[in-house]
Amino acid sequence: MSASLVVTRSLLREDTGTAENFLLCGSTLSEITEETEYIKKIRSTLAKVQPLFYKKESNHGIANGMLDSKPHSTEPELVPDEEMLSSSYKELLEKMKKAEEELLWVNKENERLKIKLEASRAAGAESVKHGSQKLQDNYKKRSEDLRKRQEGAINIMKARKLEQEQKLKQSTDSLSQLNVQLHEKYGQIEELEKRVQRMEEEKKTLKEKKQLLKKKLHQMMSNAENSKSCVKVQTEISVLQEQISHLDHVIHSQHQHLHNVIHQIEGLNNELKHQDERIESLKEQIVVLQAKVKR
């Protein structure tokens, strides 16, 4: 009778960073259980066979003693059976011993791997906790950075809005001043036109008076009147001519001044139009900035 029991073992270890993974290769738990049951059966069988084995050895010793005193005879069939049984028994004991050692080693190795597995799980849990905390910290930092950028953008828009409002106020004040200046210029034009009209009327009167004096002088010279009277009339005509020339000069000057005022009014009107457009643009920009700030 013979029996064989083979237990293989192989330990594979992989190191990846701080975490460790362990893999035990060889007999499975069910196979080890079957081998254990088989060993128990062998032990039970050996317990039954061992007394017979020792009994046969005793009989064999007695037979050998008797053979020393009696003629030598052999039992060719019994001796080979006993030797085979002894050899199988020893071989079985050796295999059982090795199997027990293998089982003991496997149990110890499993306990050691179990401890390392628990440590690896704890390290993994700590790593997950650390990673989660790191992600949370990164999220908080990014949220804070985003909040600061948004606040900075809002402050910039508020400052821009305030600047546009100040420009709008300046443009409005400038527009009011332009309206005042324009009103004054229109008043100047009206006054200049009235003054020129009066001068034109006065010039017309002087020319008519001059014309009458010329007729009078012509009559006096035709009637050969006193030369002294003629000189007086001529002097009056000269004075009237000087007055007319002076009025022409003043009227010309007033016309130039009137043209300058009209040109200024045109410039003020253009500036007024530009200020109106600028005010409308500033109002639109302020509305847009106000909407962005409220977001």
Side-chain angles (χ1 to χ4, degrees):
M1 182 178 72
S2 64
S4 62
L5 178 63
V6 180
V7 178
T8 60
R9 62 181 177 180
S10 174
L11 180 62
L12 176 62
R13 174 176 176 178
E14 297 179 355
D15 293 333
T16 57
T18 58
E20 293 184 350
N21 297 325
F22 298 93
L23 176 62
L24 180 62
C25 300
S27 300
T28 63
L29 182 60
S30 61
E31 291 174 348
I32 293 173
T33 304
E34 291 177 0
E35 291 174 355
T36 304
E37 293 297 328
Y38 178 72
I39 290 172
K40 289 180 180 180
K41 290 180 181 180
I42 293 299
R43 284 181 174 178
S44 177
T45 303
L46 288 176
K48 295 177 181 180
V49 173
Q50 191 172 7
L52 296 176
F53 177 74
Y54 285 122
K55 182 178 180 181
K56 288 183 179 181
E57 283 187 348
S58 298
N59 292 333
H60 182 64
I62 295 171
N64 288 336
M66 292 176 67
L67 288 174
D68 291 338
S69 61
K70 292 182 179 182
H72 190 271
S73 64
T74 61
E75 296 179 1
E77 294 180 358
L78 181 60
V79 174
D81 290 338
E82 291 176 355
E83 291 177 355
M84 184 181 297
L85 182 61
S86 176
S87 176
S88 298
Y89 175 72
K90 291 179 179 179
E91 181 181 357
L92 184 59
L93 288 177
E94 186 67 23
K95 289 182 178 180
M96 288 176 61
K97 183 178 180 181
K98 290 182 179 181
E100 289 178 351
E101 290 176 355
E102 292 287 344
L103 288 174
L104 181 61
W105 181 87
V106 168
N107 289 331
K108 289 182 179 180
E109 194 66 22
N110 283 338
E111 289 297 327
R112 186 176 67 85
L113 291 177
K114 183 178 180 181
I115 293 172
K116 289 186 176 181
L117 180 60
E118 292 297 330
S120 177
R121 287 177 178 174
E126 184 65 24
S127 178
V128 170
K129 182 179 178 181
H130 177 71
S132 177
Q133 184 65 35
K134 187 175 181 180
L135 287 175
Q136 187 175 3
D137 293 341
N138 289 337
Y139 174 76
K140 289 181 179 179
K141 183 178 179 181
R142 292 180 62 184
S143 298
E144 184 66 18
D145 292 341
L146 180 60
R147 184 185 64 81
K148 289 181 179 180
R149 287 198 298 269
Q150 289 178 343
E151 288 180 354
I154 290 174
N155 291 333
I156 291 174
M157 286 187 289
K158 286 182 178 179
R160 179 65 177 169
K161 176 176 172 289
L162 181 61
E163 180 183 357
Q164 297 299 324
E165 288 176 347
Q166 291 176 350
K167 288 182 178 180
L168 177 61
K169 185 177 181 301
Q170 292 175 358
S171 297
T172 304
D173 294 340
S174 177
L175 183 64
S176 299
Q177 293 176 1
L178 287 174
N179 284 324
V180 172
Q181 293 177 7
L182 194 60
H183 181 72
E184 291 176 354
K185 295 299 179 182
Y186 278 120
Q188 290 179 8
I189 288 177
E190 185 178 358
E191 183 65 27
L192 286 172
E193 287 177 346
K194 290 180 180 180
R195 186 182 301 173
V196 170
Q197 185 178 3
R198 288 195 301 269
M199 289 181 179
E200 291 289 348
E201 291 175 354
E202 185 178 357
K203 177 183 175 181
K204 181 180 179 182
T205 301
L206 291 174
K207 283 184 176 182
E208 290 176 352
K209 189 175 181 179
K210 175 185 174 183
Q211 192 65 28
L212 291 174
L213 289 174
K214 281 183 176 182
K215 289 180 179 181
K216 182 179 179 180
L217 179 61
H218 182 70
Q219 290 176 359
M220 290 175 66
M221 291 178 67
S222 298
N223 296 328
E225 293 185 6
N226 189 359
S227 59
K228 187 176 180 180
S229 298
C230 291
V231 171
K232 183 179 179 181
V233 172
Q234 287 178 350
T235 302
E236 290 178 358
I237 292 173
S238 297
V239 171
L240 288 174
Q241 183 60 43
E242 289 179 359
Q243 291 177 352
I244 291 170
S245 298
H246 177 71
L247 284 174
D248 285 336
H249 177 72
V250 173
I251 290 171
H252 179 71
S253 177
Q254 292 299 318
H255 276 297
Q256 287 183 341
H257 185 50
L258 182 61
H259 290 157
N260 290 334
V261 173
I262 292 173
H263 181 71
Q264 291 176 3
I265 288 175
E266 290 177 353
L268 290 173
N269 283 327
N270 292 332
E271 182 66 20
L272 190 65
K273 182 179 179 181
H274 175 70
Q275 290 295 336
D276 284 335
E277 293 175 353
R278 186 178 182 185
I279 288 172
E280 290 299 323
S281 176
L282 289 172
K283 286 181 178 179
E284 292 176 358
Q285 293 179 19
I286 290 172
V287 171
V288 173
L289 291 172
Q290 185 68 30
K292 289 182 178 179
V293 170
K294 289 182 178 179
R295 288 180 182 177

